[in-house]
Amino acid sequence: MNDLADRVLRGELRALSRALTLLERGSPDAGSVMEQLDPHTGRGYTVGITGPPGVGKSTLVDRLAEHLRAQGLTVGILAVDPTSPFTGGALLGDRIRMQRHYLDEGVFIRSVATRGQSGGLPRIVKSMVRVLDAAGKDVVLVETVGVGQTELGIMGVADSVVVTMTPESGDSIQTLKAGVMEIADLYVINKADRDGANQLATAVVGTLQMADLSDGWNPQVLLTQAYANVGINELWDSIGAHRSYLTDSGGLQKRRGERRRTEFLETVQEELHRRITKRLSDDAGLRTLLEKIEEKAAEPYAEAMRLLDDDAGIAGVMN
């Protein structure tokens, strides 16, 4: 067995960090590590926390982790942040906001940069979740960057999706938009001590009553005050109820199978894009073609199709 994979399975934090770094960098070594880890996945449970900026997602994740640790469960946290335009790294660095867990070896926190990918989640998060799962984390919490309706990517990562809102009127309007309503298994009205919390909860319930719930699960609407640790127990109980429903109905296996299929296709697309970009910069013939396209001496669409239809050309891109 690969030494790094073996150390990850033993729960070594340095090895876990190293494996995640290999994935982020797109290292060829990551593939062999993932092959060794994959048979040991499927035991942990992944919860996605999403919602507009400023709703208290980080505080909610922090309190959930505290609650899970009190129950003796180990926790992995992937905090997806905007990408720095200078370094390409995670800009906010959620680890700073969760310092209470810094010395707790039962909690592993990693900030992940979006790297400009749409949907608020980079493709690599799916693989990172599996690494944390193989490392023995009972629960993996994925906090998204928080860009409203583009958070649909969380559906392809989490077993249970929690959409978080606050009582402000803007969130109430967002709630009524189908793009947000269709991704959640649970709804949390955070900062519920503010005026309008009950009205927002009523609006969400009313919208859900008109929604197509053909999958059989009726999403719950919960009120929390994460900063005061209010409603966290009830939230975890509801997540547990959803997990039981998925397990009993076969939905959990289906979701995870679809995620693996999607991860494969996205990885192929991403790697093809990387190789094509590199080839375009390294190959003198392709650079000449690009110059012709820029100068209107060649047509972009036709030349692209010609390159892809050319066995020699596509082989060069793939290698």
Side-chain angles (χ1 to χ4, degrees), residues 90-160:
L91 189 60
L92 299 180
D94 287 75
R95 285 171 286 186
I96 298 174
R97 290 177 266 165
M98 301 179 189
Q99 290 187 8
R100 78 171 74 208
H101 305 299
Y102 182 72
L103 297 177
D104 185 351
E105 292 189 356
V107 179
F108 182 91
I109 304 173
R110 178 83 169 215
S111 293
V112 186
T114 58
R115 302 185 183 275
Q117 294 193 29
S118 62
L121 280 177
R123 186 273 307 167
I124 205 65
V125 169
K126 296 181 180 69
S127 300
M128 288 182 158
V129 165
R130 291 194 290 119
V131 172
L132 290 169
D133 183 2
K137 300 307 177 187
D138 297 308
V139 180
V140 179
L141 303 175
V142 180
E143 177 196 345
T144 70
V145 67
V147 288
Q149 284 186 299
T150 59
E151 291 292 357
L152 302 182
I154 191 63
M155 296 178 66
V157 173
D159 297 319
S160 294

Side-chain angles (χ1 to χ4, degrees), residues 41-46 133 137-140 159 243 252 256:
T41 62
R43 295 169 294 183
Y45 195 76
T46 307
D133 183 2
K137 300 307 177 187
D138 297 308
V139 180
V140 179
D159 297 319
R243 180 178 186 174
L252 184 58
R256 291 179 173 179

Side-chain angles (χ1 to χ4, degrees), residues 9 14 37 44 52 78 95 97 100 148 158 160 189 198 202-203 205 211 215 219 224 234 236 243 262 274 293 308 317:
L9 293 174
R14 283 178 177 269
L37 296 180
L78 295 176
R95 285 171 286 186
R97 290 177 266 165
R100 78 171 74 208
S160 294
I189 314 300
N198 290 328
T202 300
V205 170
D215 65 349
T224 65
E234 291 78 6
W236 180 244
R243 180 178 186 174
T262 301
R274 185 192 69 80
I293 291 171
L308 293 174
V317 169

